[in-house]
């Protein structure tokens, strides 16, 4: 039985952080942010709203769409690089919020590629017959790890979540293939230096602002384009689907210029290249399920249409997936 996404949903916090808000916080301008990144605004979770809460909301919506009870969920995978806690897992907290008492729970730390890593695990579990109902959730509260005094990073990120249900068959999006990759040798390009066991929290790490995300943007940009192109090509080659057969491109939403490069490389018309970056910024692992949920709701892809998903993030990690509407 081919693993199929039978329901997909998203949740975005209500609060909006606009470019003009950021102009009042750091030395930047709406024009610079829009020209260099394509971002106009992003969402921010409130103080008492965490990845588990946002993830549970998206997951509950997906279950409702599928008409499945929480108690029938076999497994919950949560892709997040901004977990509620280092331990316990955010997936376990989501399980409790949903009342999915039968589900096993696991967090995935592959940064912005995490949703595709999750999809790959869900596909394996479902197709092996091990589990029937797997929730793949991606949920991020990036605002908790962004340094709002650092203009290089604070303009880029937003909060939000997406979730999908993966089952052995049914109407939805058949997961034809997922290919994944990583290069730990370049791990220093995007990192949160302190707070792990290598550099536990201390007065010094706090003072040096080492609990915030650091990124060498220019270098990351080059890797992102190269790795997403190569993995998307590998994914197409593995399935035998031609570039001309792709109906929708759903790329990770980190920078509009990266999205343009990938779209041009695969000759996908701009109107068929999904973009949410202008309104949500980079929600890390959640960008792809949020975009897919919006596509599903507003454009209703037709049976037989092919969707190419591709992502890149800290690790470095990357991945691509080919879905076919069934
Ligand atoms: N406002 C105004 N000026 C700024 C800002 C800002 N917000 N940020 C940087 N600048 C300045 C820089 O200081 C620099 O000034 P200088 O020339 O005087 O030194 C100038 O603008 C150019 O800076 P660059 O870093 O070269 O700008 P670039 O065009 O590369 O854009 C950006 C930066 C947006 C970060 C881009 O490099 C990028 O998108 N990188 C990839 C991000 C990505 O793909 N991330 C992957 C996933 S993230 C994850 O996994 C967590």
């Amino acid at each position: 039985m081919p693993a199929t996404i039978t329901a997909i949903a998203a949740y975005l916090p209500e609060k909006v952080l606009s470019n003009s808000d950021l102009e009042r916080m750091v030395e930047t301008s709406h024009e610079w942010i829009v020209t260099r990144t394509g971002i106009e605004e992003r969402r921010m979770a409130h103080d008492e709203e965490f990845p588990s809460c946002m993830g549970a909301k998206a997951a509950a919506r997906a279950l409702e769409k599928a008409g499945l009870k929480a108690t029938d969920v076999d497994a919950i995978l949560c892709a997040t690089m901004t977990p509620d806690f280092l331990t316990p897992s955010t997936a376990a907290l989501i399980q409790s919020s949903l009342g999915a008492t039968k589900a096993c729970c696991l967090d995935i730390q592959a940064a912005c590629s995490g949703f595709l890593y999750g999809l790959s695990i869900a596909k394996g579990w479902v197709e092996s017959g091990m589990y029937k109902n797997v929730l793949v959730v991606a949920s991020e509260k990036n605002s908790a790890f962004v340094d709002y005094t650092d203009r290089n990073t604070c303009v880029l990120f937003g909060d939000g979540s997406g979730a999908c249900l993966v089952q052995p068959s049914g109407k939805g999006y058949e997961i034809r293939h997922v290919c994944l990759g990583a290069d730990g040798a370049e791990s220093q390009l995007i990192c949160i230096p302190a707070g792990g066991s290598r550099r536990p929290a201390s007065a010094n790490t706090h003072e040096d602002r080492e609990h915030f995300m650091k990124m060498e943007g220019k270098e990351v940009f080059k890797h992102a384009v190269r790795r997403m192109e190569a993995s998307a090509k590998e994914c197409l080659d593995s399935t035998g689907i031609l570039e001309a057969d792709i109906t929708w491109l759903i790329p990770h939403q980190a920078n509009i210029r990266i999205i343009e490069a990938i779209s041009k490389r695969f000759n996908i018309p701009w109107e068929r290249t999904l973009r949410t970056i202008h309104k949500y910024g980079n929600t890390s692992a959640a960008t792809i399920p949020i975009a897919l949920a919006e596509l599903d709701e507003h454009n209703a892809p037709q049976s037989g249409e092919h969707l190419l998903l591709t992502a890149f993030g800290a690790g470095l990690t990357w991945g691509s997936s080919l879905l076919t509407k069934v």
Side-chain angles (χ1 to χ4, degrees), residues 22 26-33 35-39 81 110-113 140 142 150-157 189-192 213-225 228 252-258 277 282-285 311-317:
L22 285 161
V26 288
E27 199 184 326
T28 189
S29 66
H30 173 71
E31 205 223 328
W32 190 96
I33 302 171
T35 318
R36 304 309 295 160
T37 72
I39 303 169
M81 60 171 212
C112 304
S113 316
E140 304 279 17
N142 285 317
D150 174 13
R151 70 176 184 175
N152 292 297
T153 51
C154 75
V155 302
L156 303 174
F157 294 96
L189 291 178
I190 315 169
C191 73
I192 298 172
M213 197 183 317
K214 317 279 179 202
M215 180 167 74
E216 292 179 35
K218 232 184 203 0
E219 269 309 296
V220 171
F221 191 105
K222 288 185 237 163
H223 283 281
V225 174
M228 284 161 83
H252 174 49
Q253 310 281 313
N255 188 312
I256 197 74
R257 293 178 290 134
I258 298 177
I277 187 164
N282 181 350
T283 55
S284 329
F312 174 86
L316 304 174
T317 57

Side-chain angles (χ1 to χ4, degrees), residues 44-268:
M44 274 187 101
H46 61 72
D47 290 350
E48 294 304 313
E49 198 169 35
F50 311 110
S52 60
C53 319
M54 294 188 282
K57 282 188 178 150
R61 287 177 184 175
L63 289 178
E64 196 185 330
K65 281 187 180 179
L68 191 81
K69 293 199 299 286
T71 45
D72 288 331
V73 174
D74 298 308
I76 300 174
L77 296 164
C78 181
T80 183
M81 60 171 212
T82 55
D84 289 39
F85 304 105
L86 277 180
T87 194
S89 72
T90 302
L93 302 175
I94 292 173
Q95 185 231 37
S96 164
S97 296
L98 292 175
T101 44
K102 206 178 79 182
C104 67
C105 297
L106 172 71
D107 275 9
I108 297 161
Q109 217 300 25
C112 304
S113 316
F115 178 73
L116 295 184
Y117 272 71
L119 217 51
S120 155
I121 298 169
K123 179 176 165 63
W125 279 350
V126 164
E127 290 181 358
S128 69
M130 190 166 164
Y131 295 126
K132 277 200 172 74
N133 304 314
V134 181
L135 270 176
V136 183
V137 184
S139 191
E140 304 279 17
K141 185 171 180 175
N142 285 317
S143 59
F145 294 92
V146 162
D147 183 349
Y148 287 98
T149 66
D150 174 13
R151 70 176 184 175
N152 292 297
T153 51
C154 75
V155 302
L156 303 174
F157 294 96
D159 301 336
S161 64
C164 72
L165 180 67
V166 178
Q167 295 183 298
S169 59
K171 282 200 173 305
Y173 303 89
E174 186 183 316
I175 308 167
R176 299 282 296 275
H177 192 63
V178 187
C179 54
L180 305 170
D183 180 6
E186 301 286 358
S187 57
Q188 80 292 346
L189 291 178
I190 315 169
C191 73
I192 298 172
S197 56
R198 191 180 288 209
R199 245 179 114 54
S202 68
N204 285 345
T205 60
H206 179 72
E207 198 179 322
D208 295 342
R209 308 186 78 75
E210 291 182 55
H211 296 276
F212 293 118
M213 197 183 317
K214 317 279 179 202
M215 180 167 74
E216 292 179 35
K218 232 184 203 0
E219 269 309 296
V220 171
F221 191 105
K222 288 185 237 163
H223 283 281
V225 174
R226 195 157 54 86
R227 296 302 194 178
M228 284 161 83
E229 267 188 29
S231 91
K233 171 89 172 54
E234 184 191 336
C235 196
L236 290 180
D237 290 348
S238 304
T239 49
I241 303 283
L242 303 173
E243 286 173 22
D245 298 330
I246 304 297
T247 317
W248 301 100
L249 174 66
I250 309 184
H252 174 49
Q253 310 281 313
N255 188 312
I256 197 74
R257 293 178 290 134
I258 298 177
I259 296 172
E260 267 165 12
I262 304 295
S263 176
K264 279 193 185 135
R265 161 66 187 81
F266 290 96
N267 293 311
I268 315 274

